[in-house]
């Protein structure tokens, strides 16, 4: 469901936003259910998915905060690979919005 949501958001950015955003939200809600059983295992995923959805909906400020929260939560829980994914997605986010912070996030993704 985590990757399903990321795919739906990517599709929403390319076409048919009204079709793909509800599917992304549905996939995110499934991931959110798992957070009840182990927050340290899922919080970073939920933050990242929320950031992606907020971005595609045009809520740039809240998306930015969620990207940072995803990166911090993944680092705190020791999920290095998902910290890199969150950093890369944040880099893409800032690049799309013409923000020079993109290079900082891409560097963190390495």
């Amino acid at each position: 469901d985590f990757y399903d949501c990321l795919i739906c958001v990517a599709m929403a950015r390319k076409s048919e936003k009204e079709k793909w955003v509800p599917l992304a939200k549905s996939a995110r809600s499934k991931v959110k259910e798992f957070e009840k059983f182990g927050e340290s295992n899922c919080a970073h995923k939920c933050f990242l998915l929320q950031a992606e959805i907020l971005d595609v909906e045009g809520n740039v400020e809240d998306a930015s905060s969620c990207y940072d929260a995803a990166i911090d939560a993944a680092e705190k829980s020791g999920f290095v690979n998902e910290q890199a994914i969150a950093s890369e997605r944040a880099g893409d986010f800032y690049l799309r919005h013409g923000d020079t912070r993109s290079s900082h996030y891409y560097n963190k993704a390495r």
Side-chain angles (χ1 to χ4, degrees), residues 41-57:
N41 291 328
C42 292
H44 60 284
K45 291 178 181 179
C46 290
F47 283 127
L48 177 58
L49 298 179
Q50 185 64 25
E52 292 281 287
I53 291 168
L54 286 167
D55 177 37
V56 83
E57 291 179 329

Side-chain angles (χ1 to χ4, degrees), residues 30-95:
K30 291 176 187 174
V31 174
K32 187 82 174 152
E33 286 294 313
F34 288 110
E35 190 177 27
K36 295 176 186 174
F37 303 106
E39 185 177 346
S40 64
N41 291 328
C42 292
H44 60 284
K45 291 178 181 179
C46 290
F47 283 127
L48 177 58
L49 298 179
Q50 185 64 25
E52 292 281 287
I53 291 168
L54 286 167
D55 177 37
V56 83
E57 291 179 329
N59 191 337
V60 175
E61 190 172 311
D62 289 340
S64 176
S65 297
C66 284
Y67 281 115
D68 287 334
I71 293 164
D72 292 343
E75 181 179 20
K76 181 180 175 185
S77 298
F79 290 99
V80 179
N81 57 329
E82 290 168 356
Q83 180 185 357
I85 292 170
S87 295
E88 180 182 22
R89 301 304 313 138
D92 288 351
F93 165 77
Y94 287 112
L95 185 64

